[in-house]
Amino acid sequence: MTNNNKMDTSINTTAISVDSNAVIEEDDLTAAYHEIMTEDYESNDTRIAMIGNVDSGKSTLIGVLTNASLDDGRGAARSLVMKHRHELENGRTSAVTVEIMGYKGDDQVTSSARNHAQRWIEVVERSDRTVSLIDLCGHEKYLKTTLFGLTGLMPDYALLVIGSNMGVQVMTREHVSIACALNIPMLVAVTKIDICPPNVLKQTRMTMARLLRNYGKMPFPIKDLASVDTAVESIAANRITPVFSLSSVTGQGVDLLRAFVAKIKRSCARYAGLDNDPEVTYERMPTIHFPIDGVYEVRGVGIVVGGTLMRGRINVNSVLYLGPDRTGAYTQVLIRSIECRRISQNEVKRGQCATFAIRPINRRIVLKKSWFRRGMVLVDALAVPPNLPGGKMAAEIASIPRACREFDANVVILHHSTTVMPGYQPVVHCGVLRQSAEILAITGTESLKTGERAAVRFKFVYSPEYLLPGSTFLFREGRAKGIGKVTRVYALPPVTWTASGT
């Protein structure tokens, strides 16, 4: 691997290959593309991911915030959040759960409905903006699930929950390092202060402050409503880390956190701007990109897919490509209906979380839930130049999205006990994608140590994936981890599904 892989990264012209005899130049930055990439994003739904060690009180705090009531000290609040019997029995979250808070002006909207779906519908219909609280796992054996929540569910902020009587644990440090690596603005809630001895509480605060400063974060204790306003103005810029001390049983400090959540606004950093990093080669970028984070089989409806729209707009009756499967193939599907926060809609825009009922355009293909895998997306057809040789068939082939096995990235090693060399196979987490990838080559050096940076070429070990240039990803193996940015992908030839599904 040499430096000449870093080509001219201008996106004015991009070469596309249809077959071995035809290579054409395409104007990639059209007026329509510019309009799509600079249009409004969904700003009325702010997402906060709850992170922290097991038993720190994350689920309880979500129950307290969403229901505007206090806990009884025996798990009443968390029982409204947890959805599996074993979670209710042991009090530990093992799956990602999303709860919603609604606001009408400055007032929180609550629902008295006992049914979970009905509560969501009532809150959304009566609110003009919402806050989604994403309950993630704290136990070490569920770390990959937590990583999926932080990378795939696109949180705007991370709320680190620390049990004051437990102190800063190993998984607390791990979650902080991951959130900082992904550049997610963070706030801290120190819980259970009603049962914590003063000397232990003081030690927890000191250890927590030292941990945050190690990652360049400035702790900002919240003691009154004036400091809440200051924190709201500063957290989006990632300059400070607000720290709340509270008890979900007595209610001490809960009002300040509730006031902060009510005023916080969505960060536009993830959704604003064009593809303009000079170090990245943008080749044939899609105008619609919908990573799939959940698949459901609904009786009477069929296959339903959920996720967050990262680019463009999707309407009912839109035709998109679904894929890639394990062979890198795509199939065209029709969007039959759309729901956003359990409310039917005709359109979703960038930044919205939605579910789509889909069916294949090819009636001989039958979609099954078992065929879906992590990393699949819905994307639109690629733009095709009008003067493409080969006629209609060549144009159809050129418009099919393409998966990749190899990609280049600029990486930094956050932690590794020894060195990283070619042949190293970490697990790559990029949005909803999760797969082992082998390092094929490192530019300019034979190995990398903690803190070192380099241009690296990766190859997915098991199957092709859909990867966008410019994407940020995390890679890890045990305690070793690093962060990277995709600078170029090497697309495979286009593949479509057959009637048998591959």
Side-chain angles (χ1 to χ4, degrees):
M1 180 177 176
T2 60
N3 285 329
N4 57 14
N5 282 322
K6 293 185 178 180
M7 312 168 48
D8 176 13
T9 56
S10 168
I11 55 176
N12 291 329
T13 59
T14 304
I16 63 171
S17 175
V18 179
D19 55 45
S20 58
N21 299 319
V23 177
I24 320 99
E25 293 293 320
E26 174 192 9
D27 183 4
D28 188 54
L29 188 59
T30 62
Y33 179 79
H34 185 279
E35 180 181 354
I36 288 171
M37 290 305 297
T38 55
E39 68 183 4
D40 289 340
Y41 64 94
E42 173 58 57
S43 58
N44 292 324
D45 179 41
T46 304
R47 288 182 217 167
I48 302 176
M50 311 289 285
I51 59 176
N53 191 55
V54 64
D55 297 332
S56 59
K58 299 186 293 297
S59 301
T60 297
L61 185 55
I62 290 179
V64 168
L65 292 174
T66 55
N67 293 281
S69 60
L70 298 178
D71 186 40
D72 63 354
R74 295 180 175 87
R78 74 183 180 214
S79 66
L80 301 173
V81 177
M82 294 177 170
K83 57 184 180 181
H84 299 298
R85 176 178 292 180
H86 69 271
E87 292 179 336
L88 292 171
E89 291 174 351
N90 61 27
R92 295 179 175 179
T93 302
S94 61
V96 176
T97 305
V98 180
E99 291 294 327
I100 196 170
M101 300 174 66
Y103 292 92
K104 184 74 172 179
D106 295 330
D107 299 324
Q108 183 178 351
V109 176
T110 58
S111 171
S112 59
R114 300 188 65 181
N115 180 272
H116 185 268
Q118 188 60 38
R119 286 205 307 269
W120 272 57
I121 293 173
E122 286 187 18
V123 169
V124 172
E125 287 180 342
R126 293 163 50 195
S127 306
D128 51 28
R129 59 189 176 86
T130 58
V131 175
S132 298
L133 301 178
I134 306 170
D135 190 15
L136 301 180
C137 313
H139 200 283
E140 184 175 7
K141 68 179 180 180
Y142 301 125
L143 180 58
K144 65 179 182 181
T145 303
T146 301
L147 275 168
F148 171 75
L150 289 174
T151 59
L153 299 185
M154 314 298 176
D156 301 293
Y157 303 94
L159 173 51
L160 174 67
V161 182
I162 301 175
S164 58
N165 58 332
M166 301 166 57
V168 176
Q169 301 292 313
V170 173
M171 289 310 297
T172 306
R173 299 177 185 275
E174 187 75 12
H175 289 182
V176 170
S177 68
I178 293 170
C180 292
L182 295 173
N183 202 29
I184 302 175
M186 190 163 48
L187 57 148
V188 179
V190 180
T191 61
K192 305 181 183 181
I193 62 173
D194 56 316
I195 61 172
C196 183
N199 61 318
V200 177
L201 177 59
K202 180 179 179 180
Q203 182 61 43
T204 298
R205 286 172 170 164
M206 291 174 59
T207 307
M208 175 267 301
R210 189 160 53 245
L211 173 64
L212 294 176
R213 291 191 184 98
N214 287 341
Y215 288 96
K217 304 286 187 180
M218 185 179 74
F220 183 71
I222 305 297
K223 298 180 179 180
D224 51 38
L225 291 176
S227 56
V228 168
D229 295 334
T230 303
V232 169
E233 294 174 359
S234 303
I235 188 173
N238 215 358
R239 294 196 297 266
I240 66 169
T241 300
V243 179
F244 299 83
S245 297
L246 55 90
S247 168
S248 296
V249 175
T250 66
Q252 180 182 350
V254 172
D255 289 342
L256 294 177
L257 178 59
R258 189 176 280 121
F260 178 86
V261 171
K263 296 180 179 181
I264 200 170
K265 300 298 182 183
R266 179 169 230 179
S267 171
C268 65
R270 182 177 277 116
Y271 307 99
L274 292 166
D275 301 320
N276 55 9
D277 189 331
E279 294 187 350
V280 178
T281 302
Y282 298 100
E283 295 181 328
R284 308 191 71 201
M285 301 292 285
T287 53
I288 294 175
H289 181 219
F290 183 82
I292 296 172
D293 60 44
V295 181
Y296 317 94
E297 201 158 4
V298 181
R299 183 178 299 177
V301 177
I303 292 294
V304 175
V305 298
T308 303
L309 183 60
M310 299 303 297
R311 304 165 77 95
R313 291 175 179 262
I314 297 179
N315 304 292
V316 173
N317 295 325
S318 295
V319 176
L320 301 172
Y321 279 96
L322 168 67
D325 66 1
R326 290 175 177 81
T327 67
Y330 293 82
T331 188
Q332 284 188 306
V333 296
L334 176 73
I335 306 299
R336 298 171 57 196
S337 63
I338 299 174
E339 282 193 4
C340 180
R341 285 167 284 180
R342 302 183 187 271
I343 302 295
S344 295
Q345 296 190 0
N346 293 320
E347 179 188 66
V348 291
K349 61 182 179 180
R350 190 160 47 140
Q352 278 187 297
C353 182
T355 54
F356 303 140
I358 60 174
R359 72 163 177 84
I361 295 296
N362 185 344
R363 297 283 187 168
R364 293 179 297 173
I365 296 176
V366 179
L367 292 179
K368 299 179 181 179
K369 184 179 178 180
S370 59
W371 287 350
F372 287 81
R373 66 185 186 91
R374 289 196 186 278
M376 296 185 77
V377 298
L378 287 172
V379 291
D380 59 336
L382 297 176
V384 178
N387 59 345
L388 182 69
K392 182 178 179 181
M393 181 63 71
E396 290 180 358
I397 295 174
S399 68
I400 298 173
R402 303 185 185 188
C404 73
R405 286 296 292 266
E406 297 183 14
F407 64 96
D408 293 341
N410 293 331
V411 304
V412 57
I413 307 301
L414 301 177
H415 174 73
H416 197 282
S417 57
T418 56
T419 59
V420 173
M421 302 177 67
Y424 179 62
Q425 292 187 1
V427 178
V428 170
H429 298 261
C430 184
V432 298
L433 183 160
R434 184 179 72 215
Q435 188 182 156
S436 296
E438 179 183 357
I439 293 181
L440 299 181
I442 304 174
T443 300
T445 183
E446 295 182 353
S447 62
L448 293 173
K449 299 178 182 178
T450 299
E452 294 184 342
R453 304 169 182 265
V456 174
R457 178 166 296 180
F458 288 89
K459 181 180 180 180
F460 289 116
V461 173
Y462 300 109
S463 57
E465 299 283 3
Y466 187 84
L467 198 59
L468 285 182
S471 301
T472 299
F473 64 93
L474 189 77
F475 59 95
R476 71 179 187 94
E477 182 203 27
R479 297 292 182 195
K481 56 182 172 290
I483 193 80
K485 185 173 187 178
V486 179
T487 56
R488 185 178 183 184
V489 298
Y490 297 90
L492 297 173
V495 183
T496 56
W497 281 9
T498 64
S500 62
T502 56

